[in-house]
Amino acid sequence: MSNVDASRAGATTHAPAAIFAALGDRTRLSLIHRLSDGRPRSIASLSADAAITRQAVTKHLNVLEEAGLVASSRMGRESRYSFRPEAIEEIRAYLDEVSRQWDDALGRLKSFVEK
Amino acid sequence: MSNVDASRAGATTHAPAAIFAALGDRTRLSLIHRLSDGRPRSIASLSADAAITRQAVTKHLNVLEEAGLVASSRMGRESRYSFRPEAIEEIRAYLDEVSRQWDDALGRLKSFVEK
DNA sequence: ATAAAAGGCAACCAGGAGGTTGCATCATGA
DNA sequence: TCATGATGCAACCTCCTGGTTGCCTTTTAT
């Protein structure tokens, strides 16, 4: 289990850095891309056309899950991973904050120059 | 020098994964946060209140620069780093693409159920 | 002219990340 | 019930990363 305490009800505030880090890998990014069509997939299915081992894919999926980007549920003998858009929204909010601060700075500079 | 060819005019298409990876570190995230107020800062200034060495900060700044998140320019004896919002816009576009794909999937599911 | 400030360079180190292989376990279709 | 498919677990390996220390170079203030 992760040390991020994903079991704490509601407050699943996966630090932005962790989410960014999870997205900072080509393989994981392509997994996200494929899962973002809404269709849950098994590990075997996801590693079928991959150049790496099923075990490697499993590790990547674990990273994505701990970051809150995907969710898994066991269905019989296979575990299906599905995309979780909440995490995306979380870092989108973070980016908005950075952009807002930047825009504010631009605004102040502009009004200063005009004065 | 990086192998990303940051000198190619205009087409500074820093792969999303590299940008995400650069943001996937608390220290670098806080550097970005501080620089996003638009005020360029020297390395010494940025590492003044940091818990780590100036050298470590330098390395982080290099990572951010290669990802296109900051730009540096030598001013006398100090080199000033400034925030570069273009990289943020680049990954925001990527996130939009993922979200769009997700929304489309939801839409198809909805119309299927309603039928 | 020189001491102090600001950086750059390089070597070095510990730990983590990405991958692999081997083997055990659980579920299921014949 | 039994072979196969889908995973889980664990050990192991290599390379990258985050950090450090030591020392040299360039500027600048006095």
Side-chain angles (χ1 to χ4, degrees):
Chain A
M1 184 70 43
S2 110
N3 57 347
V4 188
D5 189 7
S7 62
R8 189 175 39 199
T12 345
T13 174
H14 298 277
I19 305 180
F20 283 129
L23 293 176
D25 178 283
R26 290 182 173 282
T27 305
R28 286 195 294 264
L29 218 45
S30 103
L31 284 174
I32 286 291
H33 199 82
R34 297 212 284 158
L35 287 176
S36 68
D37 71 351
R39 199 186 337 265
R41 288 182 182 78
S42 70
I43 298 180
S45 155
L46 286 170
S47 43
D49 54 346
I52 59 180
T53 316
R54 168 183 61 89
Q55 306 292 351
V57 173
T58 298
K59 286 191 180 182
H60 283 304
L61 287 172
N62 285 336
V63 172
L64 289 174
E65 182 168 26
E66 292 202 357
L69 283 160
V70 303
S72 72
S73 65
R74 198 67 189 258
M75 291 269 299
R77 72 176 145 181
E78 63 186 20
S79 62
R80 312 180 70 77
Y81 283 79
S82 51
F83 179 58
R84 240 187 104 254
E86 292 88 341
I88 297 286
E89 290 311 312
E90 198 169 323
I91 61 173
R92 192 196 294 279
Y94 184 86
L95 293 182
D96 285 347
E97 183 190 349
V98 170
S99 296
R100 183 182 49 70
Q101 189 169 353
W102 171 260
D103 290 340
D104 287 356
L106 268 196
R108 275 193 297 278
L109 175 63
K110 185 153 170 275
S111 74
F112 170 78
V113 169
E114 285 173 347
K115 223 180 291 178
Chain B
M1 185 68 45
S2 109
N3 56 348
V4 188
D5 189 9
S7 62
R8 189 177 39 198
T12 348
T13 173
H14 299 277
I19 306 181
F20 282 129
L23 292 177
D25 178 284
R26 291 182 172 280
T27 305
R28 287 195 292 265
L29 217 46
S30 103
L31 284 174
I32 286 292
H33 199 81
R34 297 212 283 157
L35 287 175
S36 68
D37 71 351
R39 199 188 334 269
R41 288 183 182 77
S42 70
I43 298 179
S45 156
L46 285 171
S47 43
D49 54 345
I52 59 180
T53 316
R54 168 183 60 90
Q55 305 292 352
V57 173
T58 298
K59 286 192 179 181
H60 283 303
L61 287 172
N62 284 336
V63 172
L64 289 175
E65 183 168 24
E66 292 201 356
L69 283 159
V70 302
S72 71
S73 64
R74 199 65 189 258
M75 292 267 297
R77 74 175 145 182
E78 62 186 20
S79 62
R80 313 180 69 77
Y81 283 79
S82 51
F83 179 59
R84 241 188 104 252
E86 291 88 341
I88 296 287
E89 290 312 311
E90 199 169 322
I91 60 172
R92 191 196 294 280
Y94 184 86
L95 293 182
D96 285 347
E97 184 190 348
V98 171
S99 294
R100 182 183 49 70
Q101 188 169 353
W102 170 260
D103 290 340
D104 287 356
L106 267 196
R108 274 194 297 277
L109 176 62
K110 186 153 168 272
S111 75
F112 170 77
V113 169
E114 285 172 347
K115 223 183 287 179

